[in-house]
Amino acid sequence: MTENAQQQPSAPHTELPTQYAPAEVEGTLYERWVERGYFAADAKSDKPAYTIVIPPPNVTGSLHLGHAFQHTLMDALTRRKRMQGHESLWLPGMDHAGIATQNKVEQQLAEEGKSRHDLGREEFVERVWRWKEEYGGKILGQMRRLGDGVDWDRERFTMDEGLSKAVLTIFKKLYDDELIYRAERIINWCPRCLTAISDIEVEYQEDDGELVSIRYGEGDETLVVATTRAETMLGDTAVAVHPDDERYKHLVGKRIKLPLTDRSIPVVADAHVDPEFGTGAVKVTPAHDPNDFAIGQRHGLESITVMDERAVITAHGPFQGLDRFEARSAIVAALRSQGRIVAEKRPYTHSVGHCSRCKTTIEPRLSMQWWVKVGPLAKAAGDAVRDGRVKIHPEDMSKRYFDWVDNMHDWCISRQLWWGHRIPVWYGPEGEVVCVGPDEEPPTGEGWRQDTDVLDTWFSSGLWPFSTLGWPEQTEDLRKFYPTDVLLTGHDIIFFWVARMMMFGLYAMDGEVPFRTIALTGLVRDERGKKMSKSFGNVVDPLDWMDKYGSDAVRFTLARGANPGTDVPIGEDWVQASRNFANKIWNATRFALMNGATVEGPLPAPSEMTATDRWILSRLNKTVAEVDAHYDDFQFAKLSDALYHFAWDEVFDWYVELSKTTFQAGGEPAEVSKRVLGEVLDVTLKLLHPVVPFVTDTLWTTLTGGESVVVAEWPADSGFRDADAEREIETLQSVITEVRRFRADQGLQPGQRVPARLELDGTALAPHEAAIRQLLRLQPEGEDFSATATLPVAGATVALDLSGTIDVAAERKRLAKDLAAAEKEKAQATAKLGNEAFLAKAPDHVVEKIRTRLAKADEDIARIQTQLEKLPQA
């Protein structure tokens, strides 16, 4: 720290306003940082690289607390590394968000009485681009409000030219390696968005439905099946039973009548059926259920689709044209009229999948789609973590990662949309199939057509760590900044995004991992720990809090709650407390400047310092080491808490206060303490800067005259420790704290002066008499001094004359009343705990509550008796 201080320019000591006003500082200061190029990374630099790519927010999105939370942590990491001398790149960008963005534009068209089909594909896509330019990217401006130190010159978009080339390149490579294929499979279909969605885009919730048991067949050849989806029976092509189920062995291989239709269907034996569940017989609808599809494949069953893309019944008969839910009721009614309903259960609560975007109930549907064969890719993604090339933090989250990558199903990557990366496959008039790479010309001529589907949004965002750096070109950025250092993201998208980036990164970059560490965070919740939801009415717009309390306050609150992998509760009271902390930093620095705190010149030798100076420098170096260790372990809550308590408790509440007497006395000790105070504030502001950038830069430049704390050097632990000074000041603190507690117990006002005699000779406290008297408001003893209360503390004695400050008789009466109440409480609790009959019947939590009351009563009695003993005699 001494060397850093010597390099600092002389501080101008410009006077600070009496109050900190974030709104007057933050916007202007952020633009100054950007204009000066502080966040721009140089690929030609010989500094070691440190790279984080931002999880690209949707182009349709706006800043919510989850964004603010993760952005605060990523910003803190990159700001610190920049100060440590790294070429620090935090790369920003947005995702084109296929379904969400297309929905936005289709809503606009609906208001005009049009659909995308009225425009045609080309014109619709142009319309989406116009929407993106006019309305998209709102979140980018909000990121500036938060203070995100991103390299805006490198901002990327998943549909820009470079990233589109990367998508075509990897699609072609996967296709040529036979890792992409087209097949008819059961997929999750959204009848509202009219597209396939992946398993991880399905949200499951408990819905109330109905479970009906239906009799299939006639006479002795009957089976009862139970279903929650009676409408799909129109597509049944078998009933399945377990091969070892004796109840149905006589029926296996036979055909039975399918109710409401003119078809008969076979009874098949399949080990997938659980004979203990329900009747042990299940209906098989291969075109509308993934498990049934597998049974159908094993037994060569026909797949009959009975619904269209909007989930309207297409099967011939009286139910044709009905919505699936209307058909469900109509079919149950028809079966009931035929006497085929054996049992009905309503409501029947069961887990139902919903589209994560529009919340519509999804429909399993047999469909021709494009797939990624994930087996070898997923194995590589698992191996990279198992062999230590990629660390997952916290480590216990690794199990969730392995559960996913080790059991991953092939990935459906095609979407029936118009907005997105169109699948680069052409079909010819003679059944030809041609995949076209980015530098290849597509086939032309009569009868050739391109596949109409686009790729899943996660396909392009899976390339993000390297496509944003210029891949497939071998760019300077790619060589300098890949692999990235940290992926910081919520544990909720470990399946959506993290696994896909791992698979694609290892595949495209010849086994090089996309990031060295995966740091997983929890989710932001309200102050009661409840999930934030519009339906709960507890969603908070972080911009409102920024307007009210400043961005630093929001950032510090979020960082202080950020324990790895753990959800973060947040409430407005906590943001207000963080605002108070920012004000405390401001006021303490203002006081220091007014009293001549300086960073000019080297630190004096320890022999020239007071014990108070040596104590704070020892504590400062320990804090530097502690903060560094917590950063390296992604313990943002711990590092924030350590900084809060060091700054507020030790620097502002103790060192600044203890220094006042030194400043008042003047002379060489005062000059030394001014330099020490300047050093402490210089380092403390640097340590705080990555989390609270605005107030710290304003104060640091005023204190030091430096250009900006953004580009200042990160503090290093100099190794200075002084255990003797730490013990001495801890003793001083215990004396002051004990006497303050006694004063409060006696009802004295904090500023009320009391005559006192201090017996400090022979103790480490002797040099601190002036500070003790000033902090405790103790007057020198006069001729008529009478010690009415004597406090032996830490080997010293503090004698107080309270005769003129309190009504001793009234105080004894008050304390006696409190003592009687505490003794009564103790007697009642003791009696209950001694009652065996009560203990036998009372719940554990009630008994524990009474034990707590007894312990509290004992504490109160001891405290009050001590106060009575210390009171002067009436």
Coordinates of all heavy atoms in Angstrom, one line a residue, residues 40-46 87 151 154 477 480-481:
A40 N -13.2 -0.6 -22.4 CA -12.8 -1.1 -23.7 C -11.6 -2.0 -23.5 O -10.6 -1.6 -23.0 CB -12.5 0.0 -24.7
A41 N -11.7 -3.3 -24.0 CA -10.6 -4.2 -23.9 C -9.8 -4.2 -25.1 O -10.3 -4.1 -26.2 CB -11.1 -5.6 -23.6
D42 N -8.5 -4.4 -25.0 CA -7.5 -4.4 -26.1 C -7.0 -5.8 -26.4 O -6.2 -6.3 -25.5 CB -6.4 -3.4 -25.8 CG -5.4 -3.2 -27.0 OD1 -5.7 -3.9 -28.0 OD2 -4.4 -2.5 -26.8
A43 N -7.3 -6.4 -27.5 CA -6.8 -7.7 -27.8 C -5.3 -7.7 -28.0 O -4.7 -8.8 -28.0 CB -7.6 -8.2 -29.1
K44 N -4.7 -6.6 -28.3 CA -3.3 -6.5 -28.6 C -2.5 -6.3 -27.3 O -1.3 -6.4 -27.3 CB -3.0 -5.4 -29.6 CG -3.5 -5.6 -31.0 CD -3.1 -4.4 -31.9 CE -3.5 -4.6 -33.3 NZ -4.9 -4.6 -33.5
S45 N -3.2 -6.1 -26.2 CA -2.5 -5.9 -24.9 C -1.7 -7.1 -24.5 O -2.1 -8.2 -24.7 CB -3.5 -5.5 -23.9 OG -3.0 -5.5 -22.6
D46 N -0.6 -6.8 -23.8 CA 0.2 -7.9 -23.2 C -0.3 -8.2 -21.8 O 0.3 -9.1 -21.1 CB 1.7 -7.7 -23.3 CG 2.1 -6.4 -22.6 OD1 1.2 -5.7 -22.0 OD2 3.3 -6.0 -22.6
E87 N -6.4 -7.4 -18.6 CA -7.2 -6.8 -19.8 C -8.6 -7.4 -19.6 O -8.9 -8.5 -20.1 CB -6.5 -7.2 -21.1 CG -7.0 -6.4 -22.3 CD -6.7 -4.9 -22.1 OE1 -5.6 -4.6 -21.6 OE2 -7.5 -4.1 -22.4
D151 N -18.0 -3.6 -22.4 CA -17.3 -3.0 -23.6 C -18.4 -2.8 -24.7 O -18.7 -3.7 -25.5 CB -16.2 -4.0 -24.1 CG -15.4 -3.3 -25.2 OD1 -15.8 -2.3 -25.8 OD2 -14.3 -3.9 -25.4
R154 N -18.1 -3.8 -28.4 CA -18.2 -5.2 -28.8 C -19.6 -5.8 -28.6 O -19.8 -7.0 -28.6 CB -17.2 -6.1 -27.9 CG -15.8 -5.9 -28.4 CD -14.9 -6.9 -27.5 NE -13.5 -7.0 -28.0 CZ -12.5 -6.1 -27.8 NH1 -12.8 -5.1 -27.0 NH2 -11.3 -6.4 -28.3
D477 N -9.5 -11.3 -31.1 CA -10.3 -11.4 -29.9 C -10.4 -12.8 -29.4 O -10.4 -13.1 -28.2 CB -11.7 -10.8 -30.2 CG -11.8 -9.3 -30.1 OD1 -10.7 -8.7 -29.8 OD2 -12.9 -8.8 -30.2
K480 N -7.2 -13.9 -27.8 CA -6.9 -13.3 -26.6 C -7.9 -13.6 -25.5 O -7.5 -13.9 -24.3 CB -6.9 -11.8 -26.8 CG -6.7 -10.9 -25.5 CD -5.2 -11.0 -25.1 CE -5.0 -10.0 -23.9 NZ -3.6 -10.1 -23.5
F481 N -9.1 -13.7 -25.8 CA -10.2 -13.7 -24.7 C -10.9 -15.1 -24.6 O -11.8 -15.1 -23.8 CB -11.2 -12.6 -24.9 CG -10.6 -11.2 -24.9 CD1 -10.5 -10.4 -26.0 CD2 -10.1 -10.7 -23.7 CE1 -9.9 -9.1 -25.9 CE2 -9.5 -9.5 -23.6 CZ -9.4 -8.7 -24.7

